[in-house]
Amino acid sequence: MNIPTIPLRGVSGGGQRLPEQVAFHRTELSQILSLYGRMVAAGEWRDYGISSLREVAVFSVFRRTAEMPLYRIEKRPKLRLKQGQYSVVGTDGQVLKRGHDLKSVLRVLERKLIRVVD
């Protein structure tokens, strides 16, 4: 897959390049879609949307298509050396979990699958 690139500003020589869009890699999508499938099977989630923007890639999860997303799974490569490039954001915009490892960040949503059985 060939992603168009643009030169970094302020870097001498211009040897490094940034992608024009941030996107999820196949392995990242595999982890996200695995969780999504389990949540659909549990009846919690029903739809999703993917956005690839200049600085962020977003996987939005919906209960119904016409609603606001329940959760947003975001990838922001600019934060990879600071707080971590992956985050899960709730409906109200609150960051529920942030980190460097996507699998550990998604655990905050997997807890929703665990229910007490009477």
Side-chain angles (χ1 to χ4, degrees):
M1 182 163 115
N2 189 8
I3 299 174
T5 58
I6 57 173
L8 281 173
R9 293 183 188 156
V11 175
S12 61
Q16 294 181 344
R17 298 191 181 269
L18 289 176
E20 286 186 13
Q21 288 184 336
V22 176
F24 288 105
H25 190 266
R26 182 179 295 180
T27 56
E28 296 165 335
L29 274 177
S30 175
Q31 292 176 9
I32 294 169
L33 289 173
S34 173
L35 172 64
Y36 176 79
R38 287 181 278 145
M39 294 300 264
V40 168
E44 296 291 321
W45 297 349
R46 290 202 169 85
D47 202 5
Y48 72 90
I50 299 177
S51 301
S52 294
L53 306 172
R54 186 177 200 101
E55 294 186 10
V56 62
V58 182
F59 186 96
S60 301
V61 177
F62 300 88
R63 184 163 295 164
R64 291 179 191 81
T65 307
E67 292 182 347
M68 296 286 294
L70 289 173
Y71 302 102
R72 293 188 327 262
I73 301 164
E74 298 183 351
K75 176 183 178 181
R76 294 181 184 269
K78 283 189 175 182
L79 297 177
R80 72 182 174 275
L81 299 176
K82 297 178 183 172
Q83 304 127 325
Q85 66 179 343
Y86 302 108
S87 61
V88 174
V89 182
T91 306
D92 56 357
Q94 182 180 8
V95 176
L96 303 176
K97 180 85 172 173
R98 176 176 282 144
H100 299 283
D101 179 44
L102 179 60
K103 193 171 193 170
S104 66
V105 171
L106 292 177
R107 279 194 204 121
V108 73
L109 298 174
E110 288 179 0
R111 290 187 197 140
K112 308 286 184 193
L113 280 174
I114 301 170
R115 296 182 182 171
V116 177
V117 179
D118 294 338

Short mmCIF file of all heavy atoms in Angstrom, two decimals, residues 69-104:
data_model
loop_
_atom_site.label_atom_id
_atom_site.label_comp_id
_atom_site.label_asym_id
_atom_site.label_seq_id
_atom_site.Cartn_x
_atom_site.Cartn_y
_atom_site.Cartn_z
N PRO A 69 -21.61 8.40 18.48
CA PRO A 69 -20.87 7.18 18.80
C PRO A 69 -20.79 6.94 20.30
O PRO A 69 -20.65 7.87 21.08
CB PRO A 69 -19.48 7.43 18.22
CG PRO A 69 -19.41 8.86 17.87
CD PRO A 69 -20.79 9.40 17.81
N LEU A 70 -20.91 5.66 20.68
CA LEU A 70 -20.73 5.28 22.08
C LEU A 70 -19.28 5.46 22.50
O LEU A 70 -18.98 5.98 23.57
CB LEU A 70 -21.10 3.81 22.30
CG LEU A 70 -22.56 3.43 22.20
CD1 LEU A 70 -22.69 1.91 22.28
CD2 LEU A 70 -23.34 4.09 23.31
N TYR A 71 -18.38 5.01 21.64
CA TYR A 71 -16.95 5.09 21.90
C TYR A 71 -16.23 5.43 20.60
O TYR A 71 -16.69 5.09 19.51
CB TYR A 71 -16.40 3.75 22.42
CG TYR A 71 -17.07 3.29 23.68
CD1 TYR A 71 -18.03 2.30 23.66
CD2 TYR A 71 -16.74 3.87 24.90
CE1 TYR A 71 -18.66 1.89 24.82
CE2 TYR A 71 -17.36 3.46 26.06
CZ TYR A 71 -18.32 2.47 26.02
OH TYR A 71 -18.93 2.07 27.16
N ARG A 72 -15.08 6.07 20.76
CA ARG A 72 -14.18 6.32 19.63
C ARG A 72 -12.82 5.75 20.00
O ARG A 72 -12.27 6.07 21.05
CB ARG A 72 -14.04 7.82 19.35
CG ARG A 72 -15.29 8.46 18.85
CD ARG A 72 -15.07 9.90 18.39
NE ARG A 72 -14.08 10.66 19.11
CZ ARG A 72 -14.34 11.52 20.10
NH1 ARG A 72 -15.57 11.72 20.51
NH2 ARG A 72 -13.36 12.19 20.68
N ILE A 73 -12.29 4.92 19.12
CA ILE A 73 -10.94 4.39 19.29
C ILE A 73 -10.08 5.23 18.36
O ILE A 73 -10.29 5.22 17.14
CB ILE A 73 -10.88 2.90 18.94
CG1 ILE A 73 -11.84 2.12 19.84
CG2 ILE A 73 -9.46 2.38 19.06
CD1 ILE A 73 -12.16 0.73 19.36
N GLU A 74 -9.13 5.97 18.92
CA GLU A 74 -8.35 6.92 18.14
C GLU A 74 -6.88 6.53 18.10
O GLU A 74 -6.34 5.99 19.06
CB GLU A 74 -8.47 8.33 18.73
CG GLU A 74 -9.87 8.87 18.71
CD GLU A 74 -9.96 10.29 19.24
OE1 GLU A 74 -8.95 10.81 19.77
OE2 GLU A 74 -11.04 10.89 19.11
N LYS A 75 -6.27 6.84 16.96
CA LYS A 75 -4.83 6.65 16.78
C LYS A 75 -4.25 8.01 16.40
O LYS A 75 -4.60 8.57 15.36
CB LYS A 75 -4.57 5.63 15.67
CG LYS A 75 -3.09 5.45 15.34
CD LYS A 75 -2.92 4.49 14.19
CE LYS A 75 -1.48 4.33 13.80
NZ LYS A 75 -1.33 3.41 12.65
N ARG A 76 -3.38 8.54 17.26
CA ARG A 76 -2.73 9.82 17.02
C ARG A 76 -1.21 9.61 17.09
O ARG A 76 -0.62 9.66 18.17
CB ARG A 76 -3.15 10.85 18.06
CG ARG A 76 -4.59 11.23 17.99
CD ARG A 76 -4.95 12.27 19.05
NE ARG A 76 -6.35 12.56 19.02
CZ ARG A 76 -6.91 13.53 18.29
NH1 ARG A 76 -6.15 14.30 17.55
NH2 ARG A 76 -8.22 13.72 18.32
N PRO A 77 -0.57 9.39 15.94
CA PRO A 77 0.88 9.11 15.94
C PRO A 77 1.74 10.20 16.55
O PRO A 77 2.81 9.92 17.06
CB PRO A 77 1.20 8.95 14.45
CG PRO A 77 -0.09 8.54 13.83
CD PRO A 77 -1.15 9.25 14.61
N LYS A 78 1.28 11.44 16.57
CA LYS A 78 2.07 12.52 17.16
C LYS A 78 2.26 12.32 18.67
O LYS A 78 3.19 12.85 19.25
CB LYS A 78 1.42 13.87 16.91
CG LYS A 78 1.64 14.38 15.51
CD LYS A 78 1.17 15.81 15.38
CE LYS A 78 1.52 16.35 14.01
NZ LYS A 78 1.12 17.76 13.88
N LEU A 79 1.37 11.56 19.30
CA LEU A 79 1.46 11.33 20.75
C LEU A 79 2.20 10.04 21.11
O LEU A 79 2.29 9.69 22.28
CB LEU A 79 0.06 11.29 21.36
CG LEU A 79 -0.76 12.56 21.25
CD1 LEU A 79 -2.15 12.35 21.84
CD2 LEU A 79 -0.07 13.72 21.94
N ARG A 80 2.76 9.35 20.12
CA ARG A 80 3.36 8.04 20.39
C ARG A 80 4.56 8.12 21.34
O ARG A 80 4.83 7.17 22.06
CB ARG A 80 3.74 7.33 19.09
CG ARG A 80 4.93 7.91 18.37
CD ARG A 80 5.19 7.15 17.07
NE ARG A 80 6.25 7.80 16.32
CZ ARG A 80 6.07 8.81 15.49
NH1 ARG A 80 4.85 9.30 15.30
NH2 ARG A 80 7.07 9.35 14.84
N LEU A 81 5.26 9.23 21.38
CA LEU A 81 6.41 9.36 22.27
C LEU A 81 6.01 9.98 23.61
O LEU A 81 6.83 10.05 24.52
CB LEU A 81 7.50 10.20 21.61
CG LEU A 81 8.07 9.62 20.31
CD1 LEU A 81 9.07 10.58 19.69
CD2 LEU A 81 8.70 8.26 20.56
N LYS A 82 4.79 10.43 23.74
CA LYS A 82 4.33 11.07 24.98
C LYS A 82 3.39 10.14 25.72
O LYS A 82 3.82 9.20 26.38
CB LYS A 82 3.65 12.40 24.66
CG LYS A 82 4.62 13.40 24.03
CD LYS A 82 3.94 14.67 23.68
CE LYS A 82 4.94 15.59 22.97
NZ LYS A 82 4.30 16.77 22.44
N GLN A 83 2.07 10.36 25.61
CA GLN A 83 1.10 9.56 26.36
C GLN A 83 0.78 8.23 25.70
O GLN A 83 0.21 7.35 26.31
CB GLN A 83 -0.22 10.34 26.49
CG GLN A 83 -0.03 11.69 27.12
CD GLN A 83 -0.64 12.77 26.25
OE1 GLN A 83 -0.62 12.71 25.03
NE2 GLN A 83 -1.19 13.78 26.90
N GLY A 84 1.10 8.09 24.44
CA GLY A 84 0.74 6.90 23.69
C GLY A 84 -0.20 7.27 22.57
O GLY A 84 -1.04 8.16 22.72
N GLN A 85 -0.07 6.61 21.44
CA GLN A 85 -0.84 7.01 20.27
C GLN A 85 -2.27 6.49 20.24
O GLN A 85 -3.07 6.96 19.45
CB GLN A 85 -0.11 6.62 18.99
CG GLN A 85 0.03 5.14 18.74
CD GLN A 85 0.75 4.86 17.44
OE1 GLN A 85 0.87 5.72 16.58
NE2 GLN A 85 1.23 3.65 17.28
N TYR A 86 -2.62 5.54 21.11
CA TYR A 86 -3.97 4.97 21.10
C TYR A 86 -4.78 5.50 22.28
O TYR A 86 -4.26 5.66 23.38
CB TYR A 86 -3.91 3.45 21.18
CG TYR A 86 -3.11 2.82 20.06
CD1 TYR A 86 -1.87 2.26 20.31
CD2 TYR A 86 -3.60 2.80 18.77
CE1 TYR A 86 -1.13 1.70 19.29
CE2 TYR A 86 -2.86 2.25 17.74
CZ TYR A 86 -1.62 1.70 18.01
OH TYR A 86 -0.90 1.15 17.00
N SER A 87 -6.07 5.73 22.03
CA SER A 87 -6.95 6.14 23.12
C SER A 87 -8.37 5.69 22.84
O SER A 87 -8.76 5.51 21.69
CB SER A 87 -6.91 7.66 23.34
OG SER A 87 -7.35 8.33 22.19
N VAL A 88 -9.13 5.50 23.92
CA VAL A 88 -10.56 5.21 23.84
C VAL A 88 -11.26 6.39 24.47
O VAL A 88 -10.97 6.77 25.61
CB VAL A 88 -10.92 3.90 24.57
CG1 VAL A 88 -12.43 3.71 24.61
CG2 VAL A 88 -10.25 2.71 23.91
N VAL A 89 -12.19 6.99 23.70
CA VAL A 89 -12.90 8.19 24.14
C VAL A 89 -14.37 7.85 24.26
O VAL A 89 -14.96 7.23 23.36
CB VAL A 89 -12.70 9.34 23.13
CG1 VAL A 89 -13.39 10.60 23.60
CG2 VAL A 89 -11.21 9.61 22.91
N GLY A 90 -14.99 8.27 25.37
CA GLY A 90 -16.41 8.01 25.61
C GLY A 90 -17.30 9.00 24.90
O GLY A 90 -16.83 9.94 24.23
N THR A 91 -18.61 8.83 25.04
CA THR A 91 -19.60 9.68 24.39
C THR A 91 -19.45 11.14 24.78
O THR A 91 -19.61 12.03 23.96
CB THR A 91 -21.03 9.21 24.77
OG1 THR A 91 -21.14 7.83 24.45
CG2 THR A 91 -22.08 9.98 24.01
N ASP A 92 -19.10 11.38 26.03
CA ASP A 92 -18.98 12.75 26.53
C ASP A 92 -17.64 13.39 26.20
O ASP A 92 -17.39 14.53 26.58
CB ASP A 92 -19.20 12.77 28.04
CG ASP A 92 -18.26 11.83 28.78
OD1 ASP A 92 -17.48 11.12 28.11
OD2 ASP A 92 -18.32 11.81 30.02
N GLY A 93 -16.76 12.69 25.50
CA GLY A 93 -15.45 13.23 25.13
C GLY A 93 -14.35 12.93 26.13
O GLY A 93 -13.21 13.32 25.93
N GLN A 94 -14.69 12.24 27.20
CA GLN A 94 -13.70 11.89 28.21
C GLN A 94 -12.83 10.74 27.74
O GLN A 94 -13.34 9.73 27.22
CB GLN A 94 -14.40 11.50 29.51
CG GLN A 94 -13.44 11.16 30.63
CD GLN A 94 -14.17 10.77 31.90
OE1 GLN A 94 -15.38 10.61 31.91
NE2 GLN A 94 -13.42 10.61 32.97
N VAL A 95 -11.52 10.88 27.89
CA VAL A 95 -10.59 9.81 27.53
C VAL A 95 -10.66 8.73 28.62
O VAL A 95 -10.36 8.99 29.78
CB VAL A 95 -9.15 10.34 27.38
CG1 VAL A 95 -8.19 9.20 27.10
CG2 VAL A 95 -9.08 11.38 26.28
N LEU A 96 -11.10 7.54 28.23
CA LEU A 96 -11.26 6.43 29.18
C LEU A 96 -9.95 5.70 29.42
O LEU A 96 -9.69 5.21 30.51
CB LEU A 96 -12.32 5.45 28.69
CG LEU A 96 -13.70 6.05 28.43
CD1 LEU A 96 -14.63 5.00 27.84
CD2 LEU A 96 -14.27 6.64 29.69
N LYS A 97 -9.12 5.60 28.38
CA LYS A 97 -7.84 4.91 28.48
C LYS A 97 -6.94 5.40 27.36
O LYS A 97 -7.40 5.63 26.25
CB LYS A 97 -8.07 3.39 28.37
CG LYS A 97 -6.85 2.54 28.46
CD LYS A 97 -6.49 2.23 29.88
CE LYS A 97 -5.36 1.21 29.88
NZ LYS A 97 -4.84 0.98 31.17
N ARG A 98 -5.67 5.56 27.66
CA ARG A 98 -4.70 5.99 26.66
C ARG A 98 -3.42 5.19 26.89
O ARG A 98 -3.08 4.87 28.03
CB ARG A 98 -4.42 7.48 26.84
CG ARG A 98 -3.35 8.00 25.90
CD ARG A 98 -3.17 9.49 26.02
NE ARG A 98 -4.26 10.13 25.29
CZ ARG A 98 -4.85 11.24 25.67
NH1 ARG A 98 -4.49 11.85 26.76
NH2 ARG A 98 -5.82 11.76 24.95
N GLY A 99 -2.73 4.85 25.80
CA GLY A 99 -1.50 4.10 25.96
C GLY A 99 -0.77 3.84 24.67
O GLY A 99 -1.21 4.24 23.59
N HIS A 100 0.35 3.13 24.81
CA HIS A 100 1.20 2.80 23.67
C HIS A 100 0.80 1.49 23.00
O HIS A 100 1.13 1.27 21.84
CB HIS A 100 2.66 2.71 24.12
CG HIS A 100 3.18 3.99 24.68
ND1 HIS A 100 3.56 5.04 23.90
CD2 HIS A 100 3.37 4.39 25.97
CE1 HIS A 100 3.97 6.05 24.66
NE2 HIS A 100 3.86 5.67 25.93
N ASP A 101 0.10 0.62 23.73
CA ASP A 101 -0.27 -0.70 23.22
C ASP A 101 -1.78 -0.76 23.00
O ASP A 101 -2.55 -0.58 23.95
CB ASP A 101 0.17 -1.76 24.23
CG ASP A 101 -0.19 -3.17 23.79
OD1 ASP A 101 0.03 -3.48 22.60
OD2 ASP A 101 -0.69 -3.93 24.62
N LEU A 102 -2.20 -1.00 21.77
CA LEU A 102 -3.63 -1.01 21.43
C LEU A 102 -4.38 -2.07 22.23
O LEU A 102 -5.48 -1.81 22.73
CB LEU A 102 -3.82 -1.23 19.93
CG LEU A 102 -5.26 -1.28 19.44
CD1 LEU A 102 -5.99 0.03 19.74
CD2 LEU A 102 -5.31 -1.58 17.96
N LYS A 103 -3.80 -3.24 22.38
CA LYS A 103 -4.49 -4.32 23.09
C LYS A 103 -4.82 -3.94 24.53
O LYS A 103 -5.92 -4.19 25.02
CB LYS A 103 -3.63 -5.58 23.05
CG LYS A 103 -4.35 -6.82 23.46
CD LYS A 103 -3.50 -8.04 23.17
CE LYS A 103 -4.34 -9.28 23.29
NZ LYS A 103 -3.64 -10.46 22.81
N SER A 104 -3.88 -3.31 25.22
CA SER A 104 -4.13 -2.91 26.60
C SER A 104 -5.13 -1.76 26.68
O SER A 104 -5.90 -1.67 27.63
CB SER A 104 -2.82 -2.52 27.29
OG SER A 104 -2.27 -1.37 26.72
#
